[in-house]
Amino acid sequence: MPGTVQSIERAAAVLRLLAQSTRPLGVVEIAHALSLPKGTAHGIIRTLHTVGFVDQDDRSGRYLLGTQLVRLGGHQLDRNELRSCAMNWSDTLASRTGESVKVAVLDQPLQLTIVHHVFRPDDSVQVMEIGAVVPAHACALGKAILAHTPATAARLKEATLEAFTIRTVTDGRALLGQLSTVRERGWAADVEELSSGEASIAAAIRDHGGVVVGAVGITGAPRSVCDGGRNPRPRLAARVVETARAITGELTRRRE
Amino acid sequence: MRPEYVAAIDQGTTSTRCIVFDHAGRLVSVAQREHRQHFPRPGWVEHDAMEIWRNVERVVPQAIAQARVQPAQIAALGIANQRETVVLWERRTGRPVGNAITWQDTRTANLVDQLAADGGVDRFRERCGLPLMTYFSGPTLRWMLQQDPIVREKAERGELLFGTMETWLIWNLTGGPDGGLHITDVTNASRTMLMDITHLRWDEELLDAFGVPAAMLPQIRSNVEVYGTTTAALPGISIAAALGDQQAALFGQTCFSAGEAKCTYGTGAFLLLNTGPTPVRSSHGLLSTVGYQVGEDEPTYALEGSIAVTGSLVQWVRDRLGLIESAPEIETLARTVDDNGGCYSVPAFSGLFAPHWRSEARGLIIGLTSYITKGHLARAILEATAWQTREVVDAMNADSGLALTGLKVDGGMTSDHLLMQTIADVLDVPVERPLVSETVSLGAAYAAGLAVGFWPELKGLRHHWHRAARWMPEMSARRREREYGNWQRAVSRTYDWIQIEDEDGPEV
């Protein structure tokens, strides 16, 4: 069994000390409190400052817990709450586009879970897909989220991705190229990349801090979702983007 | 400018909303504000009517602004409201006399017992369709008039006005002390115990029995007609519909034929079955109520199964126990385990409503062992709503002689996927949610739109109904029967809890 890493133990002690303190602390104070050489304490604090876990008070030069650290342990969006916020807007999107609507969150680095599903409003028999797991790289919902997930680029660079149809993008670099387009225009699409006979358009949902927490999108037959050139219809994309914004607004209001 | 939209106010138990709908019945914008719940004593639940009116003044313009439409594009305004909640106010100043007393309030338990001593709880059922319960407005109003001789005197002189929430809002929307309309609608009036349910008019014998002066009562109108024009909140709009929230949901779900039913899951849950043009008297603990009346047409009646505590149980877990931060998290917590672990909860917070009607019952959590986690408790909390629905459906099947083949659901709790699946499992029928789950507001909007010709006729509204979700039963028959048996044993243990009561209510 490997031993513990001393510098991480010391960094944890510094963070605990700052968390307990009612005011910012100086390097000497921290060194004394933890019986550390001043140089060691300074090195730990500078490192924690670089990664954003410690902030420095501008006026006094003393240190306090970083706002990023606070956010790290903060409230994570509950997926059932996301569904509850998305419900009215997803219904409206389905009725305005005539397509089925899904909301998904990223579960694993490249895997989505469907958290909400509104049937295509044609009263045909459809199966509830809430709880289903979907590969993120092969669908619009996944691309809308991956485009705004910082760790994605490194993960995709060398990756070979699984193919689900002949149109699935399996080359990581090619997918990264698509994701930069997604960021530019604000929505993602796939045309028969996950399943033949299905095309979809999706846009990212953000929480009150602007972090992407999921995506909402429509799925339908390629001929209804796309124009003659197999390009997603701009009118539908605009509706999807509008819906993502409305859900983002709802999430923000609930947190106020 | 051509009218393209209809607005609806949904004045509910916990919040007030305004929703704008377009011609296809699609939701365009929503504005919402919660109001405070006052609990001055155990069993007492009050609202500040002024706070609610201020919320209406805010949410209506907000919803219109959010929809980015001009007031002139709004064809009409419809109102749906929490039913049975009583407001008393001064005709001259518009000031409410104390807080509004809500439908959840049980302070009239003793009064109801006294009234039932002479002829039983069903003594007025033939006339008004309802059993004597703390739930309805009549006993509450009598309690308010008994509290203070000055209040009674003023009421007799016509200086005080009585209303349920729609009456209070319409009066304020149309000028308040300056010529405000003092009216109610047949569905809200049918919940007071003061209206003759067959002839749809205030009944002298009932007014006598409850000691209510006729001078304070609003005029009874149909659900679908232009009552007047707003002078406040958003002046110049036709107020063209008012319905109790559950009847509004029946209308919004387009249950226009006898035999069609819906269940709305909010603070409480309410299952209404359209029974056609004559009131059906229940022998299984259901209520006879007016479904809706369009203008001068014959009224349509409904059987109702009311469940007092469903969504409010989840709120209790959030606000009083602090087990979750937001209501939807109950599902997350429940999914940390696979079943209830033998734990059951019966939320008889204000007694049990349909089909038991036991006002002396109180809530319990039973089956506790050291194995039980908060996840099991969350399961028990959600399952309580499902089993209460099952009891009401059983009663409806018995009264109507038909077996329900599917349930149309709506309301905020339909966003709880696990709950909807559980309801399909325990009822053993498919559960369907329509595309617009805001059926209370939609029903008020439909009614208002019909009144002004924005929509030409009732049946055409059915084309707007589309299925947004369907949950199919998955539970085995054996497990269903075993669990139902456990639930029923838990229910029987809530009976006879409140025993000694004095004038001020239960000792605590």
Side-chain angles (χ1 to χ4, degrees):
Chain A
M1 192 181 125
T4 55
V5 180
Q6 193 189 33
S7 58
I8 292 181
E9 284 180 340
R10 285 175 170 174
V14 169
L15 291 175
R16 261 192 223 110
L17 185 69
L18 291 174
Q20 282 162 12
S21 172
T22 51
R23 58 176 181 85
L25 299 176
V27 175
V28 177
E29 284 176 297
I30 294 169
H32 283 170
L34 300 175
S35 304
L36 290 175
K38 194 185 152 198
T40 308
H42 193 244
I44 291 170
I45 293 165
R46 293 309 310 167
T47 309
L48 288 171
H49 186 255
T50 315
V51 299
F53 283 11
V54 161
D55 286 347
Q56 190 170 17
D57 182 43
D58 284 340
R59 219 158 34 85
S60 64
R62 294 169 196 269
Y63 296 92
L64 63 158
L65 274 195
T67 47
Q68 279 195 40
L69 188 65
V70 176
R71 197 181 300 159
L72 192 67
H75 181 82
Q76 260 222 315
L77 179 68
D78 182 277
R79 62 182 54 179
N80 295 311
E81 188 170 7
L82 174 60
R83 182 188 315 122
S84 159
C85 286
M87 190 131 135
N88 278 340
W89 306 111
S90 313
D91 281 359
T92 303
L93 181 61
S95 67
R96 288 186 181 276
T97 59
E99 306 294 352
S100 76
V101 173
K102 282 171 212 162
V103 175
V105 297
L106 197 63
D107 246 356
Q108 306 279 325
L110 288 173
Q111 178 184 299
L112 302 177
T113 297
I114 304 293
V115 300
H116 185 42
H117 179 193
V118 182
F119 289 173
R120 194 171 55 253
D122 59 4
D123 300 331
S124 63
V125 175
Q126 294 163 69
V127 177
M128 182 66 87
E129 288 180 37
I130 293 175
V133 167
V134 183
H137 69 277
C139 66
L141 285 166
K143 291 185 205 176
I145 300 175
L146 291 177
H148 300 95
T149 306
T152 303
R155 207 177 294 278
L156 286 180
K157 214 170 276 172
E158 309 296 335
T160 306
L161 303 157
E162 192 184 342
F164 295 90
T165 70
I166 49 161
R167 292 196 171 81
T168 311
V169 180
T170 52
D171 175 53
R173 277 178 196 281
L175 187 60
L176 280 174
Q178 281 197 359
L179 296 186
S180 99
T181 313
V182 169
R183 278 190 295 273
E184 276 163 33
R185 68 185 180 191
W187 51 272
D190 83 81
V191 183
E192 301 191 303
E193 290 169 37
L194 180 61
S195 121
S196 319
E198 273 188 8
S200 40
I201 304 174
I205 300 167
R206 295 167 188 276
D207 71 4
H208 57 300
V211 176
V212 168
V213 290
V216 58
I218 57 170
T219 303
R223 68 188 140 66
S224 58
V225 174
C226 304
D227 61 20
R230 293 179 72 81
N231 292 311
R233 296 179 194 273
R235 181 184 64 83
L236 295 178
R239 290 267 188 230
V240 171
V241 169
E242 199 176 274
T243 304
R245 276 204 200 112
I247 298 169
T248 297
E250 185 87 30
L251 283 170
T252 309
R253 275 195 295 282
R254 288 212 192 179
R255 287 275 165 243
E256 275 167 359
Chain B
M1 207 172 283
R2 204 166 57 89
E4 292 167 74
Y5 305 94
V6 174
I9 295 171
D10 172 9
Q11 201 303 296
T13 305
T14 56
S15 72
T16 303
R17 284 125 53 91
C18 181
I19 302 189
V20 175
F21 294 95
D22 69 10
H23 201 267
R26 296 180 299 205
L27 186 148
V28 179
S29 71
V30 189
Q32 169 168 356
R33 285 188 84 84
E34 294 205 357
H35 55 263
R36 269 168 306 200
Q37 307 290 320
H38 300 270
F39 306 103
R41 296 190 200 182
W44 291 30
V45 190
E46 300 179 349
H47 292 159
D48 174 357
M50 277 317 283
E51 181 187 7
I52 287 174
W53 166 241
R54 282 194 299 272
N55 287 351
V56 167
E57 284 185 298
R58 285 187 187 178
V59 295
V60 174
Q62 244 173 22
I64 307 289
Q66 267 179 38
R68 294 192 215 102
V69 303
Q70 298 301 312
Q73 289 171 278
I74 306 291
L77 174 69
I79 297 172
N81 60 289
Q82 54 167 324
R83 306 170 303 172
E84 299 104 10
T85 296
V86 177
V87 193
L88 282 192
W89 70 95
E90 291 178 352
R91 185 193 292 273
R92 198 173 55 77
T93 62
R95 243 195 329 256
V97 179
N99 278 337
I101 299 180
T102 72
W103 55 276
Q104 297 158 302
D105 194 295
T106 56
R107 76 183 66 186
T108 57
N110 285 340
L111 180 60
V112 162
D113 283 349
Q114 287 162 22
L115 287 165
D118 174 19
V121 292
D122 285 332
R123 61 184 281 210
F124 305 123
R125 199 191 262 272
E126 188 56 34
R127 190 66 60 87
C128 68
L130 308 172
L132 266 166
M133 279 294 290
T134 61
Y135 181 30
F136 306 112
S137 316
T140 311
L141 180 53
R142 173 165 173 154
W143 185 91
M144 288 167 121
L145 294 170
Q146 271 179 358
Q147 280 311 100
D148 185 350
I150 299 171
V151 167
R152 169 164 290 283
E153 270 172 41
K154 284 185 168 176
E156 277 165 1
R157 285 201 301 267
E159 291 169 23
L160 288 189
L161 300 180
F162 154 80
T164 37
M165 275 298 166
E166 86 296 351
T167 305
W168 166 245
L169 296 185
I170 293 172
W171 190 78
N172 279 294
L173 282 166
T174 55
D178 301 321
L181 290 170
H182 190 222
I183 59 174
T184 184
D185 71 273
V186 283
T187 63
N188 276 295
S190 80
R191 316 293 294 185
T192 57
M193 298 197 77
L194 303 175
M195 188 182 79
D196 174 340
I197 194 171
T198 311
H199 301 99
L200 307 181
R201 58 187 179 219
W202 300 123
D203 183 86
E204 270 180 43
E205 274 176 45
L206 292 171
L207 294 185
D208 266 3
F210 288 95
V212 173
M216 72 189 309
L217 295 176
Q219 190 193 359
I220 300 174
R221 306 279 286 266
S222 85
N223 301 107
V224 181
E225 59 175 291
V226 177
Y227 308 124
T229 305
T230 57
T231 59
L234 198 71
I237 296 181
S238 296
I239 307 174
L243 304 96
D245 50 12
Q246 298 313 319
Q247 282 86 346
L250 188 73
F251 211 82
Q253 286 268 27
T254 65
C255 295
F256 299 137
S257 303
E260 290 187 297
K262 68 89 207 176
C263 191
T264 302
Y265 292 94
T267 309
F270 300 88
L271 209 158
L272 269 74
L273 171 75
N274 182 326
T275 58
T278 46
V280 171
R281 261 56 173 206
S282 170
S283 49
H284 296 87
L286 303 173
L287 309 175
S288 310
T289 197
V290 179
Y292 55 85
Q293 185 188 23
V294 178
E296 308 273 301
D297 296 356
E298 285 295 300
T300 295
Y301 290 91
L303 268 179
E304 170 172 328
S306 327
I307 306 165
V309 178
T310 53
S312 55
L313 180 60
V314 177
Q315 283 169 4
W316 177 79
V317 171
R318 181 192 66 189
D319 300 337
R320 301 273 158 163
L321 299 188
L323 286 180
I324 47 177
E325 278 186 46
S326 69
E329 282 176 36
I330 191 79
E331 181 175 351
T332 312
L333 189 55
R335 282 189 189 278
T336 59
V337 292
D338 292 329
D339 56 34
N340 61 25
C343 180
Y344 299 83
S345 82
V346 184
F349 290 176
S350 327
L352 286 167
F353 283 24
H356 310 282
W357 298 107
R358 301 286 293 242
S359 48
E360 87 299 347
R362 284 300 178 271
L364 60 71
I365 297 168
I366 202 165
L368 295 179
T369 60
S370 51
Y371 171 75
I372 298 298
T373 65
K374 54 187 178 180
H376 296 114
L377 183 58
R379 287 259 169 189
I381 295 294
L382 287 178
E383 287 172 6
T385 292
W387 289 119
Q388 290 184 97
T389 307
R390 168 72 188 262
E391 291 179 329
V392 166
V393 166
D394 284 358
M396 270 203 186
N397 289 345
D399 268 339
S400 67
L402 298 166
L404 195 77
T405 54
L407 186 65
K408 286 180 174 179
V409 297
D410 53 67
M413 279 185 111
T414 58
S415 76
D416 194 312
H417 179 60
L418 179 61
L419 173 63
M420 292 302 114
Q421 182 59 52
T422 308
I423 292 171
D425 286 342
V426 309
L427 295 184
D428 198 22
V429 299
V431 168
E432 292 186 325
R433 179 178 82 81
L435 195 52
V436 176
S437 62
E438 302 286 350
T439 51
V440 170
S441 299
L442 183 61
Y446 279 166
L450 275 178
V452 298
F454 184 71
W455 287 296
E457 46 104 35
L458 201 65
K459 305 275 179 202
L461 295 172
R462 283 182 193 277
H463 300 306
H464 299 163
W465 195 100
H466 296 294
R467 187 189 309 121
R470 169 148 70 177
W471 293 268
M472 302 300 286
E474 288 169 359
M475 191 184 269
S476 73
R478 210 177 132 187
R479 177 148 172 243
R480 178 163 43 242
E481 287 322 302
R482 190 188 64 220
E483 289 292 317
Y484 195 19
N486 289 346
W487 162 262
Q488 287 168 321
R489 285 189 300 134
V491 168
S492 67
R493 280 159 173 77
T494 68
Y495 292 174
D496 301 319
W497 184 254
I498 298 292
Q499 295 184 322
I500 307 157
E501 293 185 25
D502 61 21
E503 274 301 293
D504 299 324
E507 292 282 349
V508 181

mmCIF file of all heavy atoms in Angstrom, chain B residues 123-136:
data_model
loop_
_atom_site.group_PDB
_atom_site.id
_atom_site.type_symbol
_atom_site.label_atom_id
_atom_site.label_comp_id
_atom_site.label_asym_id
_atom_site.label_seq_id
_atom_site.Cartn_x
_atom_site.Cartn_y
_atom_site.Cartn_z
ATOM 1 N N ARG B 123 -76.449 15.226 6.460
ATOM 2 C CA ARG B 123 -77.775 15.856 6.548
ATOM 3 C C ARG B 123 -78.040 16.857 5.429
ATOM 4 O O ARG B 123 -79.187 17.134 5.085
ATOM 5 C CB ARG B 123 -77.988 16.509 7.920
ATOM 6 C CG ARG B 123 -76.997 17.610 8.254
ATOM 7 C CD ARG B 123 -77.206 18.134 9.665
ATOM 8 N NE ARG B 123 -78.327 19.058 9.750
ATOM 9 C CZ ARG B 123 -78.385 20.057 10.631
ATOM 10 N NH1 ARG B 123 -77.426 20.228 11.522
ATOM 11 N NH2 ARG B 123 -79.420 20.877 10.648
ATOM 12 N N PHE B 124 -76.969 17.437 4.858
ATOM 13 C CA PHE B 124 -77.178 18.401 3.766
ATOM 14 C C PHE B 124 -76.783 17.841 2.410
ATOM 15 O O PHE B 124 -76.789 18.540 1.413
ATOM 16 C CB PHE B 124 -76.356 19.673 4.023
ATOM 17 C CG PHE B 124 -76.628 20.316 5.345
ATOM 18 C CD1 PHE B 124 -75.601 20.542 6.249
ATOM 19 C CD2 PHE B 124 -77.927 20.695 5.696
ATOM 20 C CE1 PHE B 124 -75.845 21.136 7.475
ATOM 21 C CE2 PHE B 124 -78.181 21.295 6.920
ATOM 22 C CZ PHE B 124 -77.144 21.511 7.821
ATOM 23 N N ARG B 125 -76.402 16.558 2.369
ATOM 24 C CA ARG B 125 -75.825 16.003 1.142
ATOM 25 C C ARG B 125 -76.794 16.043 -0.034
ATOM 26 O O ARG B 125 -76.405 16.373 -1.155
ATOM 27 C CB ARG B 125 -75.349 14.571 1.380
ATOM 28 C CG ARG B 125 -74.357 14.100 0.322
ATOM 29 C CD ARG B 125 -74.104 12.614 0.432
ATOM 30 N NE ARG B 125 -72.902 12.267 1.165
ATOM 31 C CZ ARG B 125 -71.691 12.158 0.613
ATOM 32 N NH1 ARG B 125 -71.518 12.393 -0.659
ATOM 33 N NH2 ARG B 125 -70.656 11.804 1.335
ATOM 34 N N GLU B 126 -78.071 15.741 0.249
ATOM 35 C CA GLU B 126 -79.060 15.730 -0.827
ATOM 36 C C GLU B 126 -79.153 17.121 -1.474
ATOM 37 O O GLU B 126 -79.222 17.245 -2.691
ATOM 38 C CB GLU B 126 -80.425 15.302 -0.266
ATOM 39 C CG GLU B 126 -81.493 15.061 -1.311
ATOM 40 C CD GLU B 126 -81.090 14.021 -2.370
ATOM 41 O OE1 GLU B 126 -80.372 13.053 -2.018
ATOM 42 O OE2 GLU B 126 -81.472 14.197 -3.541
ATOM 43 N N ARG B 127 -79.105 18.177 -0.652
ATOM 44 C CA ARG B 127 -79.289 19.536 -1.142
ATOM 45 C C ARG B 127 -78.027 20.104 -1.805
ATOM 46 O O ARG B 127 -78.096 20.711 -2.882
ATOM 47 C CB ARG B 127 -79.722 20.432 0.038
ATOM 48 C CG ARG B 127 -80.174 21.821 -0.332
ATOM 49 C CD ARG B 127 -81.472 21.825 -1.143
ATOM 50 N NE ARG B 127 -82.595 21.213 -0.452
ATOM 51 C CZ ARG B 127 -83.416 21.846 0.375
ATOM 52 N NH1 ARG B 127 -83.227 23.115 0.650
ATOM 53 N NH2 ARG B 127 -84.422 21.219 0.931
ATOM 54 N N CYS B 128 -76.874 19.891 -1.144
ATOM 55 C CA CYS B 128 -75.663 20.565 -1.658
ATOM 56 C C CYS B 128 -74.627 19.599 -2.233
ATOM 57 O O CYS B 128 -73.632 20.038 -2.818
ATOM 58 C CB CYS B 128 -75.027 21.433 -0.582
ATOM 59 S SG CYS B 128 -74.312 20.512 0.773
ATOM 60 N N GLY B 129 -74.840 18.281 -2.066
ATOM 61 C CA GLY B 129 -73.914 17.309 -2.664
ATOM 62 C C GLY B 129 -72.717 16.969 -1.798
ATOM 63 O O GLY B 129 -71.892 16.148 -2.183
ATOM 64 N N LEU B 130 -72.616 17.623 -0.634
ATOM 65 C CA LEU B 130 -71.413 17.473 0.178
ATOM 66 C C LEU B 130 -71.739 16.981 1.585
ATOM 67 O O LEU B 130 -72.790 17.320 2.128
ATOM 68 C CB LEU B 130 -70.696 18.828 0.295
ATOM 69 C CG LEU B 130 -70.394 19.563 -1.012
ATOM 70 C CD1 LEU B 130 -69.869 20.965 -0.704
ATOM 71 C CD2 LEU B 130 -69.389 18.793 -1.845
ATOM 72 N N PRO B 131 -70.820 16.223 2.198
ATOM 73 C CA PRO B 131 -70.960 15.881 3.606
ATOM 74 C C PRO B 131 -70.433 17.037 4.459
ATOM 75 O O PRO B 131 -69.678 17.870 3.966
ATOM 76 C CB PRO B 131 -70.051 14.654 3.760
ATOM 77 C CG PRO B 131 -68.963 14.879 2.754
ATOM 78 C CD PRO B 131 -69.593 15.631 1.609
ATOM 79 N N LEU B 132 -70.812 17.088 5.713
ATOM 80 C CA LEU B 132 -70.283 18.104 6.618
ATOM 81 C C LEU B 132 -68.813 17.819 6.892
ATOM 82 O O LEU B 132 -68.465 16.746 7.386
ATOM 83 C CB LEU B 132 -71.053 18.065 7.941
ATOM 84 C CG LEU B 132 -72.226 19.020 8.073
ATOM 85 C CD1 LEU B 132 -73.065 18.623 9.273
ATOM 86 C CD2 LEU B 132 -71.752 20.461 8.200
ATOM 87 N N MET B 133 -67.947 18.745 6.518
ATOM 88 C CA MET B 133 -66.510 18.598 6.741
ATOM 89 C C MET B 133 -65.922 19.977 6.981
ATOM 90 O O MET B 133 -66.438 20.971 6.483
ATOM 91 C CB MET B 133 -65.831 18.005 5.497
ATOM 92 C CG MET B 133 -65.934 16.517 5.341
ATOM 93 S SD MET B 133 -65.054 15.622 6.630
ATOM 94 C CE MET B 133 -63.335 15.968 6.224
ATOM 95 N N THR B 134 -64.803 20.005 7.679
ATOM 96 C CA THR B 134 -64.110 21.279 7.933
ATOM 97 C C THR B 134 -63.639 21.925 6.632
ATOM 98 O O THR B 134 -63.430 23.127 6.568
ATOM 99 C CB THR B 134 -62.851 21.047 8.795
ATOM 100 O OG1 THR B 134 -61.965 20.179 8.072
ATOM 101 C CG2 THR B 134 -63.212 20.398 10.112
ATOM 102 N N TYR B 135 -63.468 21.085 5.626
ATOM 103 C CA TYR B 135 -62.930 21.440 4.332
ATOM 104 C C TYR B 135 -63.742 22.547 3.615
ATOM 105 O O TYR B 135 -63.183 23.424 2.963
ATOM 106 C CB TYR B 135 -62.957 20.125 3.562
ATOM 107 C CG TYR B 135 -62.463 20.045 2.161
ATOM 108 C CD1 TYR B 135 -61.467 20.867 1.690
ATOM 109 C CD2 TYR B 135 -62.989 19.063 1.326
ATOM 110 C CE1 TYR B 135 -61.014 20.719 0.392
ATOM 111 C CE2 TYR B 135 -62.541 18.907 0.045
ATOM 112 C CZ TYR B 135 -61.556 19.740 -0.427
ATOM 113 O OH TYR B 135 -61.119 19.584 -1.691
ATOM 114 N N PHE B 136 -65.052 22.541 3.743
ATOM 115 C CA PHE B 136 -65.890 23.418 2.922
ATOM 116 C C PHE B 136 -66.088 24.803 3.555
ATOM 117 O O PHE B 136 -65.896 24.987 4.753
ATOM 118 C CB PHE B 136 -67.217 22.729 2.646
ATOM 119 C CG PHE B 136 -67.028 21.372 2.039
ATOM 120 C CD1 PHE B 136 -67.348 20.217 2.746
ATOM 121 C CD2 PHE B 136 -66.451 21.246 0.781
ATOM 122 C CE1 PHE B 136 -67.132 18.961 2.195
ATOM 123 C CE2 PHE B 136 -66.222 19.998 0.227
ATOM 124 C CZ PHE B 136 -66.568 18.854 0.930
#
